[in-house]
Amino acid sequence: MDFRFLSASRTGLADVTADALVVIVAGESAEQGLEGPLAQHLKDVLSQRDFVVKAGRTFYLHKPQGVRAPRVVFAAASDASSKAFRSAVGHALTALKNSSAKHVAIALAGSLEMSGDHAEALVAAVTDATYVYRHTKPSALPPGALSKVTLLGEKADTKVVQQGLARGQAIAAGVTLARECANRPGNHCTPTYLAEQAQALARDHGLKVEVLDRKAVEKLGMGSFLAVAKGSDEPLRFIVLRYEGAARNQAPLVLVGKGITFDTGGISIKPSAEMDEMKFDMGGAASVLGTFRAVADLKPKINLVGLIPACENMPDGRAVKPGDVVTSLSGQTIEILNTDAEGRLILCDALSYAERFKPAAVVDIATLTGACVVALGHHRSGLFTADDELADLLLRSGQKAQDPCWRMPLDEEYEEALKSNFADMGNVGGRAGGAITAAMFLRKFTAKYRWAHLDIAGTAWKGGAAKGATGRPVPLLTHFVLSQAR
Ligand code: BES
Ligand code: MN
Ligand code: ZN
């Protein structure tokens, strides 16, 4: 997709050459700033109440008189925010879906002003509207012919808008990579495949990568990760990615992504309904890869490490059993009471491994608990941290990126539930507060650094008719990384 910014006055919109002109309108005086034929057309459809300035509404005009573009779409935004703008652009593109328009120009009317955030939101809306998964369904067609988008703005700070477009495009590339990985079925996206993706990313974008196999993981002493991986014939991988954008002595940020490429539950096997969706259980890993993709484009002055423990969770004659006790890399022993609580078992060893980087902060990202979906639904990811400053940064990054999260508690009282008579801890704490006790489990491995956990079980993918990966929380993580750069 080709994105351009053109500083053009609102009064000259009738002369814009494009296959379609989209005019986003917000506020009471919708035609504010428009003049000539477009102002007249908008006035007409408003007065006839064919078009109302209400979120979600659009109106399509074919070859309107006095306008050079052969197609015009008016799309209403509920207010002047970049969030409302993104949604309005999405609706406008739906109105143009299946048209042969290749070049769409997008302009603002009413109370809207173009900012960097608006430009970034535009790219996100266009990417959402045009992404189609084809790897195992090559017959799926892209939803239109769109290949060029021109953003028109007046009084806008060109540099800021250009930066917004660049940020949007880097994030879009990261989101698309994450979606591509996560949408691939479990027989395609294996731990080996994830490692190959990391290697390709490193090769193409100047990153460093190291891939550890079972032998190396055994030598390190990751007994907890190994316990999950041993039920599968598919070989495990432990991926270490590095982006070096700052001086060597600068402490890195570390991102840790859960890479369960299929979660059957293991011996504590899941019911079969919707089990196919457990191919998305590597959404955390995908978001780490996607964030590295975006960061490699944007080149912030920061050091970043990505850790991905990747394996399958399968039932087998050699699989770990309920009641088995394992020793984690930290030395703490774990009684595995439920083999379906496997995410925390692979993450805890990766979190201990993170210590060697003497990190400025560690953020893990995981499709960790069904309980988090019950608590927060599909709009906000769960954020867990005892560090108020880190919480604030991540919450704000999510808001700015339109990829929101919500803080959940971590009081020590919740730790009680993890007590075991046979090990330092059990791996489950019962149904009550399941997302919190999972986070409390991880917390036991993070004493040496500042740490936050994102439970993305409700946000990494969509079910139902629109089943597919979302690429979240790549936008949140990219904004967080950018916010920490000097
Ligand atoms: N990958 C799942 C979490 C999950 C379940 C995400 C459904 C999205 C939808 C995780 O490994 C898991 O199975 N968690 C268990 C934990 C329980 C056994 C304590 C869960 O949430 O049921
Ligand atoms: Mn599980
Ligand atoms: Zn899982």
Side-chain angles (χ1 to χ4, degrees):
M1 195 66 60
D2 180 5
F3 288 97
R4 304 273 168 94
F5 175 65
L6 241 178
S7 184
S9 87
R10 287 183 182 184
T11 52
L13 292 181
D15 300 323
V16 167
T17 47
D19 301 325
L21 174 65
V22 168
V23 183
I24 308 288
V25 297
E28 292 292 301
S29 48
E31 64 272 48
Q32 184 185 313
L34 295 182
E35 260 175 42
L38 273 167
Q40 196 52 52
H41 289 304
L42 182 53
K43 228 181 248 161
D44 281 356
V45 295
L46 283 170
S47 68
Q48 284 158 27
R49 295 197 57 81
D50 284 329
F51 177 57
V52 187
V53 185
K54 215 170 155 188
R57 301 291 183 88
T58 59
F59 194 82
Y60 179 84
L61 298 169
H62 199 66
K63 294 191 177 160
Q65 229 179 31
V67 181
R68 195 142 169 206
R71 304 171 188 83
V72 170
V73 177
F74 294 121
S78 55
D79 55 51
S81 68
S82 58
K83 185 179 172 187
F85 177 64
R86 175 174 175 170
S87 149
V89 171
H91 284 105
L93 293 173
T94 303
L96 287 166
K97 205 169 137 183
N98 303 322
S99 86
S100 62
K102 289 195 188 91
H103 177 198
V104 173
I106 301 193
L108 308 180
S111 57
L112 280 154
E113 293 290 341
M114 189 52 59
S115 72
D117 285 351
H118 285 77
E120 184 182 330
L122 167 85
V123 181
V126 171
T127 311
D128 279 348
T130 51
Y131 173 79
V132 51
Y133 171 77
R134 304 188 60 198
H135 185 69
T136 49
K137 190 185 176 186
S139 63
L141 295 173
L146 190 59
S147 63
K148 181 175 173 184
V149 178
T150 303
L151 186 53
L152 304 166
E154 80 176 339
K155 287 189 287 175
D157 181 337
T158 304
K159 197 173 158 210
V160 167
V161 174
Q162 300 280 21
Q163 281 170 351
L165 286 178
R167 202 163 60 235
Q169 287 176 91
I171 291 170
V175 164
T176 302
L177 173 64
R179 294 177 81 172
E180 275 299 306
C181 284
N183 280 333
R184 277 168 170 60
N187 62 330
H188 288 242
C189 180
T190 59
T192 307
Y193 175 84
L194 282 180
E196 286 166 1
Q197 285 302 298
Q199 279 159 337
L201 194 62
R203 188 187 58 227
D204 299 344
H205 298 276
L207 308 170
K208 290 189 175 151
V209 67
E210 201 184 337
V211 176
L212 310 186
D213 61 7
R214 182 172 54 84
K215 267 200 182 137
V217 166
E218 273 172 3
K219 205 164 157 210
L220 280 164
M222 293 185 170
S224 186
F225 177 28
L226 283 162
V228 177
K230 74 182 187 151
S232 171
D233 285 345
E234 202 59 67
L236 69 80
R237 291 290 181 262
F238 189 88
I239 304 164
V240 184
L241 263 171
R242 304 195 67 156
Y243 163 81
E244 287 164 357
R248 265 172 189 278
N249 62 4
Q250 204 172 302
L253 279 180
V254 179
L255 303 178
V256 181
K258 173 179 172 182
I260 293 289
T261 58
F262 197 83
D263 181 11
T264 64
I267 297 301
S268 314
I269 200 161
K270 289 181 180 294
S272 45
E274 291 170 5
M275 201 208 271
D276 64 291
E277 294 186 11
M278 284 298 118
K279 72 172 183 178
F280 297 119
D281 211 17
M282 34 58 72
S287 75
V288 171
L289 293 177
T291 302
F292 271 80
R293 174 74 178 79
V295 166
D297 262 7
L298 295 168
K299 300 187 174 58
K301 290 191 172 63
I302 194 169
N303 292 327
L304 191 63
V305 174
L307 302 178
I308 298 174
C311 70
E312 281 184 342
N313 185 24
M314 297 287 278
D316 182 75
R318 274 176 294 270
V320 71
K321 305 173 295 297
D324 284 0
V325 174
V326 298
T327 304
S328 65
L329 176 58
S330 71
Q332 299 176 95
T333 57
I334 304 163
E335 185 186 14
I336 300 179
L337 291 161
N338 188 320
T339 67
D340 197 11
E342 85 297 341
R344 61 199 80 180
L345 295 174
I346 71 170
L347 288 169
C348 70
D349 282 344
L351 288 168
S352 298
Y353 188 85
E355 287 175 8
R356 69 186 56 206
F357 300 101
K358 300 193 169 47
V362 177
V363 179
D364 78 73
I365 310 99
T367 49
L368 203 64
T369 64
C372 192
V373 190
V374 174
L376 293 175
H378 301 286
H379 181 53
R380 286 181 188 261
S381 306
L383 166 64
F384 301 79
T385 178
D387 186 319
D388 291 343
E389 201 185 312
L390 200 50
D392 213 49
L393 282 164
L394 287 159
L395 283 165
R396 262 190 284 165
S397 301
Q399 260 343 92
K400 189 154 163 63
Q402 294 184 35
D403 181 6
C405 59
W406 192 256
R407 192 171 180 186
M408 301 278 281
L410 275 182
D411 307 85
E412 63 185 35
E413 281 81 354
Y414 290 105
E415 210 177 294
E416 187 72 23
L418 295 170
K419 288 213 163 117
S420 159
N421 291 344
F422 304 101
D424 293 329
M425 69 195 85
N427 78 325
V428 290
R431 271 171 57 80
I436 305 167
T437 50
M440 290 306 288
F441 177 94
L442 295 177
R443 187 166 133 96
K444 290 172 174 290
F445 300 84
T446 61
K448 301 250 165 71
Y449 46 69
R450 301 175 70 188
W451 164 77
H453 157 60
L454 287 166
D455 193 331
I456 58 166
T459 53
W461 77 88
K462 288 181 177 147
K467 192 188 288 181
T470 59
R472 290 179 66 183
V474 170
L476 181 162
L477 292 170
T478 305
H479 273 269
F480 172 64
V481 172
L482 294 179
S483 77
Q484 295 310 100
R486 316 181 168 226

PDB file of all heavy atoms in Angstrom, residues 258 260 263 281 342 367, ligand 3:
ATOM      1  N   LYS A 258       4.595 -15.925  24.957  1.00  0.00           N
ATOM      2  CA  LYS A 258       4.181 -17.338  25.042  1.00  0.00           C
ATOM      3  C   LYS A 258       4.033 -17.912  23.630  1.00  0.00           C
ATOM      4  O   LYS A 258       3.258 -17.421  22.817  1.00  0.00           O
ATOM      5  CB  LYS A 258       2.850 -17.440  25.795  1.00  0.00           C
ATOM      6  CG  LYS A 258       2.236 -18.849  25.799  1.00  0.00           C
ATOM      7  CD  LYS A 258       0.921 -18.901  26.591  1.00  0.00           C
ATOM      8  CE  LYS A 258       0.216 -20.249  26.417  1.00  0.00           C
ATOM      9  NZ  LYS A 258      -1.085 -20.307  27.132  1.00  0.00           N
ATOM     10  N   ILE A 260       3.046 -21.247  22.581  1.00  0.00           N
ATOM     11  CA  ILE A 260       2.432 -22.580  22.482  1.00  0.00           C
ATOM     12  C   ILE A 260       1.764 -22.660  21.106  1.00  0.00           C
ATOM     13  O   ILE A 260       0.748 -21.994  20.871  1.00  0.00           O
ATOM     14  CB  ILE A 260       1.415 -22.817  23.625  1.00  0.00           C
ATOM     15  CG1 ILE A 260       2.123 -22.878  24.979  1.00  0.00           C
ATOM     16  CG2 ILE A 260       0.612 -24.107  23.385  1.00  0.00           C
ATOM     17  CD1 ILE A 260       2.973 -24.115  25.235  1.00  0.00           C
ATOM     18  N   ASP A 263      -2.367 -25.852  21.839  1.00  0.00           N
ATOM     19  CA  ASP A 263      -2.637 -26.207  23.236  1.00  0.00           C
ATOM     20  C   ASP A 263      -3.844 -27.147  23.319  1.00  0.00           C
ATOM     21  O   ASP A 263      -4.989 -26.707  23.295  1.00  0.00           O
ATOM     22  CB  ASP A 263      -2.898 -24.919  24.039  1.00  0.00           C
ATOM     23  CG  ASP A 263      -3.155 -25.203  25.526  1.00  0.00           C
ATOM     24  OD1 ASP A 263      -2.920 -26.344  25.959  1.00  0.00           O
ATOM     25  OD2 ASP A 263      -3.575 -24.258  26.233  1.00  0.00           O
ATOM     26  N   ASP A 281      -2.585 -19.939  20.360  1.00  0.00           N
ATOM     27  CA  ASP A 281      -1.962 -19.855  21.689  1.00  0.00           C
ATOM     28  C   ASP A 281      -0.493 -19.409  21.623  1.00  0.00           C
ATOM     29  O   ASP A 281       0.181 -19.340  22.636  1.00  0.00           O
ATOM     30  CB  ASP A 281      -2.096 -21.198  22.422  1.00  0.00           C
ATOM     31  CG  ASP A 281      -2.198 -21.043  23.933  1.00  0.00           C
ATOM     32  OD1 ASP A 281      -2.481 -19.923  24.396  1.00  0.00           O
ATOM     33  OD2 ASP A 281      -1.982 -22.045  24.638  1.00  0.00           O
ATOM     34  N   GLU A 342      -0.267 -24.569  31.090  1.00  0.00           N
ATOM     35  CA  GLU A 342       1.089 -24.779  30.580  1.00  0.00           C
ATOM     36  C   GLU A 342       1.819 -23.486  30.238  1.00  0.00           C
ATOM     37  O   GLU A 342       3.046 -23.441  30.238  1.00  0.00           O
ATOM     38  CB  GLU A 342       1.032 -25.679  29.339  1.00  0.00           C
ATOM     39  CG  GLU A 342       0.764 -24.976  28.001  1.00  0.00           C
ATOM     40  CD  GLU A 342      -0.589 -24.288  27.915  1.00  0.00           C
ATOM     41  OE1 GLU A 342      -1.480 -24.630  28.722  1.00  0.00           O
ATOM     42  OE2 GLU A 342      -0.756 -23.391  27.066  1.00  0.00           O
ATOM     43  N   THR A 367      -1.374 -15.456  25.856  1.00  0.00           N
ATOM     44  CA  THR A 367      -2.779 -15.865  25.831  1.00  0.00           C
ATOM     45  C   THR A 367      -2.937 -16.828  27.007  1.00  0.00           C
ATOM     46  O   THR A 367      -3.005 -18.039  26.837  1.00  0.00           O
ATOM     47  CB  THR A 367      -3.100 -16.588  24.512  1.00  0.00           C
ATOM     48  OG1 THR A 367      -2.083 -17.584  24.290  1.00  0.00           O
ATOM     49  CG2 THR A 367      -3.084 -15.632  23.336  1.00  0.00           C
TER      50      THR A 367
HETATM   51 ZN    ZN B   3      -2.327 -22.226  26.584  1.00  0.00          ZN
END
